[in-house]
Amino acid sequence: MKQTFDFITIGSATRDIFVKSSAFRVEKPWHGRGPAKLVLSLGAKIDVEAPVLATGGGATNAAATFRNFGYDTAYLGAIGNDEHGKAVLDDLESRSITTEYVLRPAGLTTAFSVILTTGAHGRVVLTHRPSREFVPAYFTPLKKLRTRWLYCTSLAGKLPLLRSIFSTAQQRGMKIAWNPGADELRNREAIVQLLPSADVVLLNREEAGLLLRRPGAGMGTLCRAVGAHLRGITVVTDGQRGLCVVEHQTLYRAATHASVPVVESTGAGDALGSGFLVGLVRSKGNTADAIQYGVANAESVIRK
């Protein structure tokens, strides 16, 4: 049993089914504000391209990045003892990501998503997240493992578990990168208390707005407001419009490359966050270098 890793990721794992069709119709809001809509007619039969099956989830996507760069990586989480769960395990093991700490409780079904994709126009995600109770004992392997970095994603809003994980990580000298999910961000007071525990916090613009209850605020404002609670680094992404990073009093802005073709954007945020962390490790803390790693990793994902 391996006891020491470069990265351990904790959180979600899913089975994704991508569905694409030239018949999908995207409708922009008539007043020019708000999100565009994917319009489907009730009763219609729509021809689609051959579906693409893949695995995803914030924690497993990040684990794939870390392993792609050659780092010893383990995934901690729970999946169902079903076909989707087997696909997740097979994918992780094919990448030489350690899975011996994955739990498969009886009665649990693996999360899955059906992704209706329109390419560069975006997608609609139909997701099934099984009801499950996370308990601190669930991740007891963490108490006997060592890692340079703990990468924590959504834990379905289970804040007592999150506190336990962070406390264990700090006691064992682990650095913490945190990408909280919407279920956690709705509890602003509790999350603000936990922010100082993290070395790196990764959010997209919508998540930062939800946390701060300022959905219309600018990127720099959001990044600085979250960063005010941190002792480390804040990363706020905004899709193809780029990202902002705050480290102490320094604000970085970065754009993406407009020339990169967007085939499918699902997972780009996970790729940017995990790529940023790889860059931070490889450059021995150079934030500018880390940003370039993150952007390059995300742009590698959206091409296919």
Side-chain angles (χ1 to χ4, degrees), residues 133-155:
E133 288 298 320
F134 291 95
V135 295
Y138 195 74
F139 290 115
T140 51
L142 192 61
K143 296 180 179 180
K144 60 184 179 183
L145 298 176
R146 292 192 178 278
T147 183
R148 296 166 65 187
W149 279 91
L150 179 70
Y151 188 97
C152 191
T153 64
S154 176
L155 296 177

Side-chain angles (χ1 to χ4, degrees), residues 218-234:
M219 285 283 287
T221 299
L222 291 172
C223 208
R224 288 190 186 279
V226 177
H229 299 281
L230 265 70
R231 56 184 170 81
I233 299 172
T234 305

Side-chain angles (χ1 to χ4, degrees), residues 64-86:
T65 289
F66 301 142
R67 190 68 195 115
N68 285 347
F69 280 94
Y71 292 107
D72 289 332
T73 304
Y75 166 65
L76 301 186
I79 57 176
N81 193 15
D82 51 21
E83 180 183 353
H84 296 319
K86 182 179 184 302

Side-chain angles (χ1 to χ4, degrees), residues 3-268:
Q3 299 290 318
T4 303
F5 295 91
D6 297 310
F7 293 94
I8 293 176
T9 70
I10 292 182
S12 61
T14 67
R15 186 78 183 284
D16 294 330
I17 305 170
F18 292 86
V19 179
K20 187 174 184 179
S21 174
S22 59
F24 287 163
R25 182 164 62 89
V26 176
E27 186 176 275
K28 296 182 179 180
W30 66 270
H31 47 69
R33 296 179 181 177
K37 292 178 172 56
L38 177 64
V39 181
L40 303 174
S41 300
L42 289 175
K45 289 187 177 181
I46 299 173
D47 289 331
V48 300
E49 298 178 10
V52 175
L53 276 66
T55 69
T60 51
N61 283 344
T65 289
F66 301 142
R67 190 68 195 115
N68 285 347
F69 280 94
Y71 292 107
D72 289 332
T73 304
Y75 166 65
L76 301 186
I79 57 176
N81 193 15
D82 51 21
E83 180 183 353
H84 296 319
K86 182 179 184 302
V88 170
L89 276 184
D90 288 347
D91 196 355
L92 292 171
E93 289 170 358
S94 73
R95 300 171 184 271
S96 299
I97 295 167
T98 298
T99 61
E100 61 189 276
Y101 311 107
V102 174
L103 297 183
R104 305 185 76 180
L108 178 69
T109 57
T110 304
F112 74 88
S113 298
V114 178
I115 301 165
L116 308 180
T117 178
T118 64
H121 295 290
R123 80 281 194 202
V124 173
V125 181
L126 312 176
T127 187
H128 166 69
R129 296 188 180 97
S131 175
R132 52 188 175 187
E133 288 298 320
F134 291 95
V135 295
Y138 195 74
F139 290 115
T140 51
L142 192 61
K143 296 180 179 180
K144 60 184 179 183
L145 298 176
R146 292 192 178 278
T147 183
R148 296 166 65 187
W149 279 91
L150 179 70
Y151 188 97
C152 191
T153 64
S154 176
L155 296 177
K158 305 299 182 183
L159 293 174
L161 174 59
L162 194 58
R163 293 189 188 99
S164 177
I165 289 172
F166 278 24
S167 175
T168 299
Q170 289 178 309
Q171 290 170 14
R172 296 186 64 77
M174 303 174 186
K175 291 187 175 182
I176 300 171
W178 186 22
N179 179 208
D183 291 328
E184 286 90 23
L185 293 170
R186 291 189 183 96
N187 194 330
R188 183 182 187 279
E189 290 72 20
I191 295 302
V192 167
Q193 290 177 0
L194 283 170
L195 285 174
S197 301
D199 296 274
V200 176
V201 170
L202 305 154
L203 300 166
N204 63 35
R205 184 172 187 165
E206 292 74 21
E207 291 166 343
L210 176 62
L211 172 62
L212 299 171
R213 296 172 185 167
R214 301 174 67 179
M219 285 283 287
T221 299
L222 291 172
C223 208
R224 288 190 186 279
V226 177
H229 299 281
L230 265 70
R231 56 184 170 81
I233 299 172
T234 305
V235 181
V236 178
T237 63
D238 193 19
Q240 291 177 266
R241 288 176 287 275
L243 70 153
C244 283
V245 177
V246 167
E247 181 182 20
H248 307 304
Q249 298 301 314
T250 303
L251 174 67
Y252 299 82
R253 292 180 182 270
T256 58
H257 298 92
S259 60
V260 175
V262 180
V263 175
E264 169 54 47
S265 60
T266 303

